[in-house]
Amino acid sequence: SGANVTILKGVTIGRGSVIAAGGVVNKSTPPYSISGGVPAKTLGFRFTIDEILEHEKILYPENERYTREELEKIFAETNTKK
């Protein structure tokens, strides 16, 4: 996370996510997302789905990894403006 980030009670920062400096996070963020602003909004994702799957394969046991289907659902549900 960046400097001076405020994370409100009950919020979960998704695995591998980044919060921009000065962000105020008032709701949970998806995994591998980039969020920022006041209140923080998801601006995009750090990696493609294929890159996330490769990353997870290296770091996590099979039963703890995200599946392609889970990631596709997360990406589809997250409104990001390009």
Side-chain angles (χ1 to χ4, degrees), residues 11 14 17 20 23-24 26 29 35 37-38 43 55 58 62 68 82:
V11 169
S17 293
V24 176
N26 64 352
T29 65
S35 301
V38 179
L43 305 172
H55 175 75
I58 294 167
E62 190 169 353
R68 176 173 296 281
K82 304 283 177 184

Side-chain angles (χ1 to χ4, degrees), residues 34-75:
I34 301 167
S35 301
V38 179
K41 298 204 180 322
T42 300
L43 305 172
F45 289 91
R46 296 179 63 194
F47 309 110
T48 65
I49 290 174
D50 288 332
E51 290 170 333
I52 293 170
L53 292 171
E54 285 300 312
H55 175 75
E56 296 252 321
K57 201 179 291 184
I58 294 167
L59 291 179
Y60 300 102
E62 190 169 353
N63 64 330
E64 293 179 24
R65 297 179 200 156
Y66 283 103
T67 64
R68 176 173 296 281
E69 292 75 25
E70 290 171 320
L71 292 170
E72 287 173 349
K73 184 177 179 191
I74 291 166
F75 274 52

